[in-house]
Amino acid sequence: MAAANTYAGETITLLAETNVANTYAALCAIDGKSLTLSKQTSSTVIPDCDNPADARWTRSRVQSFSATINGTGLAARENITRLRELFLRTTANKWRVVIPGTGANGGGTWEGWFHLNSLEIGTEYGDEATVQIALVSDGVVFWTAAA
């Protein structure tokens, strides 16, 4: 049996564009990260003209694509002002999700404009405060394979 060649969780990086164009920085202590790519479809049931009494197959057509990014971690003081600013913006911000490795083995970057549409800061008595963020894409999200 050959063991799978997997990614360590900390090697997948979430980066937000800073106030300097095309300069990106990670948010401190955001350790849980996910990128979800979605496809919205419409469906039509197609009849079988030769056998109209048979069960019919459904045809799906792609209508649109979207992406969401989620992050969780400790509520690091270094992040709170930046997260508040991103949440209060009415325009999207550029974000990147970097998958490590070469293009040949799946490494590269997803990049696009996203709105920070959910910001949750919470805690339980005696614990460290935590933060959860959710972002939704605003337009095309591009894939660039690593060199």
Side-chain angles (χ1 to χ4, degrees), residues 57-132:
W57 285 94
T58 301
R59 175 184 295 150
S60 296
R61 296 184 188 263
V62 175
Q63 299 295 316
S64 63
F65 296 100
S66 63
T68 58
I69 296 172
N70 290 288
T72 60
L74 294 176
R77 293 176 190 269
E78 297 87 344
N79 291 341
I80 297 302
T81 299
R82 180 76 175 129
L83 288 171
R84 183 182 64 246
E85 290 169 351
L86 289 168
F87 178 76
L88 293 173
R89 286 178 65 154
T90 57
T91 58
N93 194 70
K94 283 170 68 176
W95 290 76
R96 289 181 176 168
V97 176
V98 181
I99 309 298
T102 65
N105 69 10
T109 302
W110 290 99
E111 180 177 345
W113 294 91
F114 287 81
H115 286 281
L116 177 57
N117 72 327
S118 176
L119 170 61
E120 179 180 331
I121 301 169
T123 190
E124 295 289 329
Y125 179 79
D127 289 340
E128 296 292 326
T130 60
V131 65
Q132 294 184 29

Side-chain angles (χ1 to χ4, degrees), residues 11-15 35 96-101 107-110 143 146:
T11 63
I12 296 175
T13 309
L14 174 61
L15 303 169
L35 168 70
R96 289 181 176 168
V97 176
V98 181
I99 309 298
T109 302
W110 290 99
W143 169 255

Side-chain angles (χ1 to χ4, degrees), residues 3-4 17 82 141:
E17 187 176 45
R82 180 76 175 129
V141 177

